Amino acid sequence: MVWVWRVCLGLLIAAYAAWLVLPLLQPLVSGGSLNEAIAAVQAESASLGAFLPSLWLSSAVLYLAAAIMTVARIGAAPGAYFLAFGCELIQRVFLQETRDAGIANTPQRVAETLHALGLTLEPGPAVLSALLIIGLLVLMSGVWRGAKGQALTRHWTEPPAYA
């Protein structure tokens, strides 16, 4: 039953990674070409330098890798997830100093999405807290113990020995 938990967790992480790269996917979905998406990243890199867009893209790629590793029960999943989380934290610190970011400005996109949903949360701490909780859930799923170890969630599916 823990495999269902890992699949749902992997899908949640993959959905967040897809949402991160949504500005790149929108030209492709609307009938554009891959060159338009690449041009958007190059324009962002030209105005900001390559550091912020590379942090943005690397966090999305690492989140996607963590999602795949979580579903496949590969032990490096928490490492990839928390590397992506670290990339996003560093990106958010640098975005506080940079006001003219466009597609790499994840906090602004989060605020717009929360406002469109009608939620009046402060987007920075709420999203980072949710991402940290998801990372802890990846740890709890037991993928870091390898194929022979039991998941930390086994007490949800099996009664304790003293019962």
Side-chain angles (χ1 to χ4, degrees):
M1 198 60 174
V2 176
W3 67 272
V4 174
W5 175 254
R6 282 194 307 270
V7 168
C8 292
L9 202 54
L11 289 174
L12 180 67
I13 297 167
Y16 183 70
W19 181 84
L20 277 177
V21 295
L22 190 62
L24 293 180
L25 297 177
Q26 284 176 343
L28 298 175
V29 172
S30 65
S33 66
L34 186 61
N35 292 334
E36 293 176 14
I38 292 172
V41 173
Q42 287 175 344
E44 187 88 1
S45 296
S47 66
L48 298 177
F51 188 65
L52 275 174
S54 65
L55 275 175
W56 169 59
L57 289 174
S58 63
S59 65
V61 168
L62 283 169
Y63 277 132
L64 185 61
I68 293 169
M69 285 191 269
T70 299
V71 173
R73 197 175 186 189
I74 298 173
Y81 185 87
F82 284 112
L83 276 174
F85 184 71
C87 286
E88 192 159 347
L89 281 176
I90 293 169
Q91 175 196 8
R92 286 173 185 250
V93 167
F94 282 108
L95 279 173
Q96 290 177 352
E97 303 295 324
T98 307
R99 298 291 178 205
D100 57 344
I103 60 175
N105 196 350
T106 306
Q108 178 186 359
R109 291 181 44 228
V110 167
E112 291 170 358
T113 303
L114 289 177
H115 181 70
L117 293 174
L119 299 173
T120 58
L121 295 171
E122 182 66 31
V127 170
L128 290 178
S129 299
L131 290 173
L132 182 62
I133 289 169
I134 291 171
L136 294 175
L137 291 174
V138 170
L139 277 173
M140 282 180 57
S141 69
V143 296
W144 62 282
R145 291 184 168 187
K148 294 182 182 175
Q150 291 181 332
L152 295 176
T153 56
R154 69 181 178 276
H155 64 277
W156 294 342
T157 58
E158 299 174 5
Y162 55 83

